[in-house]
Structures are given as structure tokens and as C-alpha cells.
mmCIF file of all heavy atoms in Angstrom:
data_model
loop_
_atom_site.group_PDB
_atom_site.id
_atom_site.type_symbol
_atom_site.label_atom_id
_atom_site.label_comp_id
_atom_site.label_asym_id
_atom_site.label_seq_id
_atom_site.Cartn_x
_atom_site.Cartn_y
_atom_site.Cartn_z
ATOM 1 N N ALA U 1 105.770 -62.726 65.486
ATOM 2 C CA ALA U 1 104.560 -63.168 66.182
ATOM 3 C C ALA U 1 104.044 -62.020 67.045
ATOM 4 O O ALA U 1 104.439 -61.881 68.204
ATOM 5 C CB ALA U 1 104.855 -64.398 67.033
ATOM 6 N N PRO U 2 103.177 -61.157 66.501
ATOM 7 C CA PRO U 2 102.746 -59.963 67.236
ATOM 8 C C PRO U 2 102.201 -60.248 68.640
ATOM 9 O O PRO U 2 102.488 -59.506 69.576
ATOM 10 C CB PRO U 2 101.660 -59.369 66.327
ATOM 11 C CG PRO U 2 102.029 -59.824 64.961
ATOM 12 C CD PRO U 2 102.588 -61.195 65.148
ATOM 13 N N TRP U 3 101.418 -61.333 68.771
ATOM 14 C CA TRP U 3 100.798 -61.599 70.073
ATOM 15 C C TRP U 3 101.792 -62.056 71.125
ATOM 16 O O TRP U 3 101.426 -62.250 72.287
ATOM 17 C CB TRP U 3 99.679 -62.633 69.927
ATOM 18 C CG TRP U 3 98.429 -62.054 69.331
ATOM 19 C CD1 TRP U 3 97.881 -62.349 68.116
ATOM 20 C CD2 TRP U 3 97.564 -61.077 69.927
ATOM 21 N NE1 TRP U 3 96.744 -61.610 67.920
ATOM 22 C CE2 TRP U 3 96.511 -60.826 69.008
ATOM 23 C CE3 TRP U 3 97.569 -60.388 71.150
ATOM 24 C CZ2 TRP U 3 95.484 -59.920 69.270
ATOM 25 C CZ3 TRP U 3 96.544 -59.498 71.410
ATOM 26 C CH2 TRP U 3 95.521 -59.264 70.474
ATOM 27 N N ARG U 4 103.079 -62.225 70.751
ATOM 28 C CA ARG U 4 104.118 -62.516 71.742
ATOM 29 C C ARG U 4 105.051 -61.325 71.952
ATOM 30 O O ARG U 4 106.011 -61.424 72.728
ATOM 31 C CB ARG U 4 104.932 -63.749 71.335
ATOM 32 C CG ARG U 4 104.130 -65.049 71.325
ATOM 33 C CD ARG U 4 105.027 -66.273 71.496
ATOM 34 N NE ARG U 4 106.090 -66.322 70.517
ATOM 35 C CZ ARG U 4 105.991 -66.909 69.329
ATOM 36 N NH1 ARG U 4 104.863 -67.484 68.957
ATOM 37 N NH2 ARG U 4 107.014 -66.932 68.500
ATOM 38 N N LEU U 5 104.795 -60.231 71.265
ATOM 39 C CA LEU U 5 105.640 -59.042 71.396
ATOM 40 C C LEU U 5 105.013 -58.076 72.396
ATOM 41 O O LEU U 5 103.864 -57.666 72.224
ATOM 42 C CB LEU U 5 105.795 -58.346 70.038
ATOM 43 C CG LEU U 5 106.476 -59.160 68.932
ATOM 44 C CD1 LEU U 5 106.424 -58.404 67.614
ATOM 45 C CD2 LEU U 5 107.918 -59.481 69.318
ATOM 46 N N PRO U 6 105.748 -57.686 73.448
ATOM 47 C CA PRO U 6 105.178 -56.788 74.471
ATOM 48 C C PRO U 6 104.601 -55.506 73.885
ATOM 49 O O PRO U 6 103.561 -55.033 74.333
ATOM 50 C CB PRO U 6 106.368 -56.501 75.390
ATOM 51 C CG PRO U 6 107.279 -57.664 75.203
ATOM 52 C CD PRO U 6 107.126 -58.085 73.780
ATOM 53 N N GLU U 7 105.255 -54.947 72.856
ATOM 54 C CA GLU U 7 104.770 -53.686 72.290
ATOM 55 C C GLU U 7 103.414 -53.869 71.606
ATOM 56 O O GLU U 7 102.685 -52.897 71.400
ATOM 57 C CB GLU U 7 105.787 -53.097 71.302
ATOM 58 C CG GLU U 7 106.166 -53.980 70.124
ATOM 59 C CD GLU U 7 107.384 -54.855 70.387
ATOM 60 O OE1 GLU U 7 107.578 -55.277 71.535
ATOM 61 O OE2 GLU U 7 108.139 -55.109 69.422
ATOM 62 N N PHE U 8 103.073 -55.117 71.270
ATOM 63 C CA PHE U 8 101.756 -55.378 70.669
ATOM 64 C C PHE U 8 100.731 -55.770 71.730
ATOM 65 O O PHE U 8 99.674 -55.156 71.849
ATOM 66 C CB PHE U 8 101.862 -56.479 69.607
ATOM 67 C CG PHE U 8 100.584 -56.697 68.834
ATOM 68 C CD1 PHE U 8 100.297 -55.943 67.717
ATOM 69 C CD2 PHE U 8 99.660 -57.658 69.234
ATOM 70 C CE1 PHE U 8 99.125 -56.131 66.995
ATOM 71 C CE2 PHE U 8 98.485 -57.860 68.527
ATOM 72 C CZ PHE U 8 98.217 -57.090 67.404
ATOM 73 N N TYR U 9 101.048 -56.798 72.535
ATOM 74 C CA TYR U 9 100.011 -57.286 73.453
ATOM 75 C C TYR U 9 99.749 -56.339 74.616
ATOM 76 O O TYR U 9 98.667 -56.379 75.213
ATOM 77 C CB TYR U 9 100.304 -58.714 73.938
ATOM 78 C CG TYR U 9 101.505 -58.920 74.823
ATOM 79 C CD1 TYR U 9 101.535 -58.461 76.137
ATOM 80 C CD2 TYR U 9 102.604 -59.638 74.357
ATOM 81 C CE1 TYR U 9 102.634 -58.678 76.944
ATOM 82 C CE2 TYR U 9 103.707 -59.869 75.164
ATOM 83 C CZ TYR U 9 103.712 -59.394 76.461
ATOM 84 O OH TYR U 9 104.805 -59.618 77.270
ATOM 85 N N GLN U 10 100.703 -55.473 74.938
ATOM 86 C CA GLN U 10 100.415 -54.469 75.968
ATOM 87 C C GLN U 10 99.521 -53.359 75.410
ATOM 88 O O GLN U 10 98.732 -52.763 76.147
ATOM 89 C CB GLN U 10 101.720 -53.894 76.511
ATOM 90 C CG GLN U 10 102.490 -54.871 77.387
ATOM 91 C CD GLN U 10 103.854 -54.368 77.800
ATOM 92 O OE1 GLN U 10 104.239 -53.241 77.484
ATOM 93 N NE2 GLN U 10 104.612 -55.194 78.504
ATOM 94 N N ARG U 11 99.644 -53.118 74.119
ATOM 95 C CA ARG U 11 98.798 -52.117 73.470
ATOM 96 C C ARG U 11 97.391 -52.670 73.209
ATOM 97 O O ARG U 11 96.412 -51.936 73.231
ATOM 98 C CB ARG U 11 99.444 -51.698 72.145
ATOM 99 C CG ARG U 11 98.718 -50.569 71.421
ATOM 100 C CD ARG U 11 99.527 -50.153 70.203
ATOM 101 N NE ARG U 11 98.857 -49.117 69.429
ATOM 102 C CZ ARG U 11 99.337 -48.622 68.283
ATOM 103 N NH1 ARG U 11 100.497 -49.064 67.820
ATOM 104 N NH2 ARG U 11 98.675 -47.692 67.628
ATOM 105 N N PHE U 12 97.320 -53.979 72.991
ATOM 106 C CA PHE U 12 96.035 -54.622 72.697
ATOM 107 C C PHE U 12 95.788 -55.783 73.657
ATOM 108 O O PHE U 12 95.908 -56.953 73.274
ATOM 109 C CB PHE U 12 96.012 -55.133 71.252
ATOM 110 C CG PHE U 12 96.330 -54.089 70.222
ATOM 111 C CD1 PHE U 12 97.539 -54.115 69.549
ATOM 112 C CD2 PHE U 12 95.430 -53.082 69.940
ATOM 113 C CE1 PHE U 12 97.849 -53.158 68.593
ATOM 114 C CE2 PHE U 12 95.728 -52.108 68.978
ATOM 115 C CZ PHE U 12 96.937 -52.144 68.310
ATOM 116 N N PRO U 13 95.449 -55.477 74.904
ATOM 117 C CA PRO U 13 95.234 -56.556 75.882
ATOM 118 C C PRO U 13 93.977 -57.373 75.628
ATOM 119 O O PRO U 13 93.810 -58.450 76.194
ATOM 120 C CB PRO U 13 95.143 -55.817 77.218
ATOM 121 C CG PRO U 13 94.744 -54.422 76.867
ATOM 122 C CD PRO U 13 95.341 -54.144 75.527
ATOM 123 N N GLY U 14 93.083 -56.890 74.774
ATOM 124 C CA GLY U 14 91.855 -57.629 74.498
ATOM 125 C C GLY U 14 91.256 -57.231 73.167
ATOM 126 O O GLY U 14 91.739 -56.325 72.473
ATOM 127 N N ARG U 15 90.162 -57.900 72.793
ATOM 128 C CA ARG U 15 89.538 -57.643 71.496
ATOM 129 C C ARG U 15 88.875 -56.266 71.449
ATOM 130 O O ARG U 15 88.737 -55.669 70.383
ATOM 131 C CB ARG U 15 88.533 -58.748 71.172
ATOM 132 C CG ARG U 15 89.215 -60.074 70.902
ATOM 133 C CD ARG U 15 88.243 -61.191 70.617
ATOM 134 N NE ARG U 15 87.679 -61.148 69.281
ATOM 135 C CZ ARG U 15 88.313 -61.533 68.178
ATOM 136 N NH1 ARG U 15 89.560 -61.963 68.243
ATOM 137 N NH2 ARG U 15 87.712 -61.493 67.010
ATOM 138 N N ARG U 16 88.473 -55.752 72.601
ATOM 139 C CA ARG U 16 87.865 -54.420 72.605
ATOM 140 C C ARG U 16 88.882 -53.373 72.141
ATOM 141 O O ARG U 16 88.542 -52.453 71.381
ATOM 142 C CB ARG U 16 87.349 -54.071 74.005
ATOM 143 C CG ARG U 16 86.639 -52.724 74.059
ATOM 144 C CD ARG U 16 85.910 -52.550 75.369
ATOM 145 N NE ARG U 16 84.808 -53.486 75.511
ATOM 146 C CZ ARG U 16 83.607 -53.299 74.965
ATOM 147 N NH1 ARG U 16 83.360 -52.217 74.240
ATOM 148 N NH2 ARG U 16 82.653 -54.176 75.145
ATOM 149 N N GLU U 17 90.136 -53.511 72.600
ATOM 150 C CA GLU U 17 91.172 -52.567 72.167
ATOM 151 C C GLU U 17 91.444 -52.704 70.661
ATOM 152 O O GLU U 17 91.707 -51.717 69.966
ATOM 153 C CB GLU U 17 92.456 -52.800 72.962
ATOM 154 C CG GLU U 17 92.397 -52.321 74.412
ATOM 155 C CD GLU U 17 91.646 -53.280 75.332
ATOM 156 O OE1 GLU U 17 91.371 -54.433 74.910
ATOM 157 O OE2 GLU U 17 91.342 -52.891 76.471
ATOM 158 N N LEU U 18 91.377 -53.945 70.170
ATOM 159 C CA LEU U 18 91.536 -54.149 68.725
ATOM 160 C C LEU U 18 90.408 -53.472 67.959
ATOM 161 O O LEU U 18 90.634 -52.844 66.919
ATOM 162 C CB LEU U 18 91.557 -55.641 68.404
ATOM 163 C CG LEU U 18 92.865 -56.403 68.619
ATOM 164 C CD1 LEU U 18 92.640 -57.891 68.366
ATOM 165 C CD2 LEU U 18 93.981 -55.885 67.733
ATOM 166 N N MET U 19 89.184 -53.600 68.468
ATOM 167 C CA MET U 19 88.044 -52.976 67.802
ATOM 168 C C MET U 19 88.157 -51.456 67.816
ATOM 169 O O MET U 19 87.815 -50.786 66.837
ATOM 170 C CB MET U 19 86.743 -53.448 68.443
ATOM 171 C CG MET U 19 86.356 -54.873 68.051
ATOM 172 S SD MET U 19 84.741 -55.377 68.696
ATOM 173 C CE MET U 19 85.222 -56.233 70.175
ATOM 174 N N ASP U 20 88.677 -50.900 68.929
ATOM 175 C CA ASP U 20 88.896 -49.450 68.998
ATOM 176 C C ASP U 20 89.946 -49.016 67.980
ATOM 177 O O ASP U 20 89.802 -47.980 67.315
ATOM 178 C CB ASP U 20 89.332 -49.046 70.411
ATOM 179 C CG ASP U 20 88.219 -49.197 71.442
ATOM 180 O OD1 ASP U 20 87.038 -49.276 71.025
ATOM 181 O OD2 ASP U 20 88.527 -49.252 72.642
ATOM 182 N N TYR U 21 91.015 -49.811 67.857
ATOM 183 C CA TYR U 21 92.084 -49.524 66.900
ATOM 184 C C TYR U 21 91.533 -49.584 65.471
ATOM 185 O O TYR U 21 91.857 -48.729 64.625
ATOM 186 C CB TYR U 21 93.200 -50.547 67.093
ATOM 187 C CG TYR U 21 94.397 -50.385 66.184
ATOM 188 C CD1 TYR U 21 95.396 -49.450 66.466
ATOM 189 C CD2 TYR U 21 94.570 -51.202 65.066
ATOM 190 C CE1 TYR U 21 96.507 -49.328 65.640
ATOM 191 C CE2 TYR U 21 95.675 -51.086 64.249
ATOM 192 C CZ TYR U 21 96.647 -50.149 64.543
ATOM 193 O OH TYR U 21 97.750 -50.032 63.732
ATOM 194 N N ALA U 22 90.696 -50.601 65.205
ATOM 195 C CA ALA U 22 90.102 -50.735 63.880
ATOM 196 C C ALA U 22 89.226 -49.530 63.553
ATOM 197 O O ALA U 22 89.260 -48.999 62.439
ATOM 198 C CB ALA U 22 89.288 -52.028 63.805
ATOM 199 N N LYS U 23 88.447 -49.095 64.524
ATOM 200 C CA LYS U 23 87.577 -47.936 64.303
ATOM 201 C C LYS U 23 88.399 -46.685 64.035
ATOM 202 O O LYS U 23 88.098 -45.899 63.134
ATOM 203 C CB LYS U 23 86.685 -47.734 65.528
ATOM 204 C CG LYS U 23 85.645 -46.632 65.364
ATOM 205 C CD LYS U 23 84.732 -46.554 66.586
ATOM 206 C CE LYS U 23 83.690 -45.461 66.413
ATOM 207 N NZ LYS U 23 82.801 -45.372 67.614
ATOM 208 N N LYS U 24 89.475 -46.506 64.788
ATOM 209 C CA LYS U 24 90.331 -45.334 64.644
ATOM 210 C C LYS U 24 90.983 -45.291 63.264
ATOM 211 O O LYS U 24 91.155 -44.218 62.670
ATOM 212 C CB LYS U 24 91.404 -45.349 65.741
ATOM 213 C CG LYS U 24 92.399 -44.203 65.652
ATOM 214 C CD LYS U 24 93.451 -44.326 66.748
ATOM 215 C CE LYS U 24 94.515 -43.241 66.605
ATOM 216 N NZ LYS U 24 95.588 -43.392 67.632
ATOM 217 N N HIS U 25 91.356 -46.468 62.736
ATOM 218 C CA HIS U 25 92.071 -46.520 61.464
ATOM 219 C C HIS U 25 91.155 -46.850 60.287
ATOM 220 O O HIS U 25 91.644 -47.115 59.179
ATOM 221 C CB HIS U 25 93.207 -47.552 61.543
ATOM 222 C CG HIS U 25 94.351 -47.120 62.417
ATOM 223 N ND1 HIS U 25 94.340 -47.266 63.785
ATOM 224 C CD2 HIS U 25 95.526 -46.511 62.113
ATOM 225 C CE1 HIS U 25 95.459 -46.785 64.292
ATOM 226 N NE2 HIS U 25 96.187 -46.311 63.299
ATOM 227 N N GLY U 26 89.850 -46.835 60.522
ATOM 228 C CA GLY U 26 88.917 -47.089 59.432
ATOM 229 C C GLY U 26 88.990 -48.493 58.875
ATOM 230 O O GLY U 26 88.823 -48.704 57.667
ATOM 231 N N ILE U 27 89.252 -49.469 59.747
ATOM 232 C CA ILE U 27 89.358 -50.868 59.321
ATOM 233 C C ILE U 27 87.994 -51.536 59.478
ATOM 234 O O ILE U 27 87.520 -51.713 60.607
ATOM 235 C CB ILE U 27 90.403 -51.630 60.160
ATOM 236 C CG1 ILE U 27 91.779 -50.955 60.078
ATOM 237 C CG2 ILE U 27 90.499 -53.086 59.708
ATOM 238 C CD1 ILE U 27 92.795 -51.506 61.066
ATOM 239 N N PRO U 28 87.328 -51.913 58.385
ATOM 240 C CA PRO U 28 86.044 -52.616 58.521
ATOM 241 C C PRO U 28 86.270 -54.033 59.025
ATOM 242 O O PRO U 28 87.114 -54.765 58.501
ATOM 243 C CB PRO U 28 85.492 -52.621 57.090
ATOM 244 C CG PRO U 28 86.681 -52.465 56.207
ATOM 245 C CD PRO U 28 87.720 -51.698 56.981
ATOM 246 N N VAL U 29 85.547 -54.426 60.058
ATOM 247 C CA VAL U 29 85.715 -55.758 60.643
ATOM 248 C C VAL U 29 84.350 -56.400 60.858
ATOM 249 O O VAL U 29 83.355 -55.705 61.061
ATOM 250 C CB VAL U 29 86.493 -55.704 61.981
ATOM 251 C CG1 VAL U 29 87.934 -55.311 61.753
ATOM 252 C CG2 VAL U 29 85.831 -54.744 62.954
ATOM 253 N N PRO U 30 84.302 -57.740 60.830
ATOM 254 C CA PRO U 30 83.015 -58.435 60.925
ATOM 255 C C PRO U 30 82.543 -58.697 62.345
ATOM 256 O O PRO U 30 81.537 -59.349 62.541
ATOM 257 C CB PRO U 30 83.309 -59.761 60.211
ATOM 258 C CG PRO U 30 84.748 -60.012 60.486
ATOM 259 C CD PRO U 30 85.404 -58.648 60.518
ATOM 260 N N VAL U 31 83.291 -58.225 63.356
ATOM 261 C CA VAL U 31 82.886 -58.481 64.736
ATOM 262 C C VAL U 31 82.441 -57.182 65.392
ATOM 263 O O VAL U 31 82.818 -56.092 64.984
ATOM 264 C CB VAL U 31 84.034 -59.110 65.561
ATOM 265 C CG1 VAL U 31 84.449 -60.427 64.965
ATOM 266 C CG2 VAL U 31 85.218 -58.168 65.668
ATOM 267 N N THR U 32 81.625 -57.322 66.431
ATOM 268 C CA THR U 32 81.150 -56.184 67.211
ATOM 269 C C THR U 32 81.283 -56.552 68.671
ATOM 270 O O THR U 32 81.498 -57.726 69.016
ATOM 271 C CB THR U 32 79.673 -55.892 66.913
ATOM 272 O OG1 THR U 32 78.885 -57.003 67.388
ATOM 273 C CG2 THR U 32 79.430 -55.702 65.424
ATOM 274 N N PRO U 33 81.164 -55.583 69.597
ATOM 275 C CA PRO U 33 81.204 -55.943 71.019
ATOM 276 C C PRO U 33 80.131 -56.957 71.408
ATOM 277 O O PRO U 33 80.293 -57.692 72.370
ATOM 278 C CB PRO U 33 80.974 -54.594 71.722
ATOM 279 C CG PRO U 33 81.487 -53.576 70.748
ATOM 280 C CD PRO U 33 81.142 -54.120 69.401
ATOM 281 N N GLN U 34 79.032 -57.011 70.626
ATOM 282 C CA GLN U 34 77.970 -57.969 70.936
ATOM 283 C C GLN U 34 78.293 -59.370 70.396
ATOM 284 O O GLN U 34 77.813 -60.367 70.925
ATOM 285 C CB GLN U 34 76.635 -57.491 70.343
ATOM 286 C CG GLN U 34 76.035 -56.270 71.036
ATOM 287 C CD GLN U 34 76.787 -54.987 70.697
ATOM 288 O OE1 GLN U 34 77.207 -54.801 69.554
ATOM 289 N NE2 GLN U 34 76.976 -54.122 71.676
ATOM 290 N N THR U 35 79.070 -59.444 69.331
ATOM 291 C CA THR U 35 79.456 -60.740 68.755
ATOM 292 C C THR U 35 80.975 -60.765 68.558
ATOM 293 O O THR U 35 81.467 -60.707 67.425
ATOM 294 C CB THR U 35 78.748 -60.969 67.399
ATOM 295 O OG1 THR U 35 79.073 -59.875 66.520
ATOM 296 C CG2 THR U 35 77.244 -61.026 67.569
ATOM 297 N N PRO U 36 81.729 -60.853 69.655
ATOM 298 C CA PRO U 36 83.180 -60.683 69.557
ATOM 299 C C PRO U 36 83.951 -61.963 69.242
ATOM 300 O O PRO U 36 85.170 -61.960 69.293
ATOM 301 C CB PRO U 36 83.539 -60.199 70.969
ATOM 302 C CG PRO U 36 82.566 -60.910 71.848
ATOM 303 C CD PRO U 36 81.293 -61.008 71.049
#
């Protein structure tokens, strides 16, 4: 359960960090900061 593992949720405290991670790794995602 990643969202209960400190090494995951401390690295990704919010959806903005997830979006940054997706951008860094070239992961296309359907959400934007305007529609999160």
C-alpha cells in the first residue's frame, strides 16, 4: 500500500508532487494543476 509507506507519502505529500514526478518521468496524465 504505497500511500501508507513513509518512503512514498513523504516523497509525494500531494498531487502536485505526483504531477512533477510524472513530468520528470514522461508519464502522460489526464490531470493538470487547474483540474487536479
Side-chain angles (χ1 to χ4, degrees):
W3 284 113
R4 294 204 305 270
L5 298 174
E7 58 268 33
F8 187 86
Y9 67 71
Q10 288 173 3
R11 185 174 177 183
F12 306 108
R15 291 178 77 77
R16 183 168 294 278
E17 287 78 13
L18 280 175
M19 285 185 264
D20 291 342
Y21 181 81
K23 185 176 180 181
K24 177 182 176 183
H25 289 83
I27 303 170
V29 292
V31 299
T32 66
Q34 290 74 39
T35 57

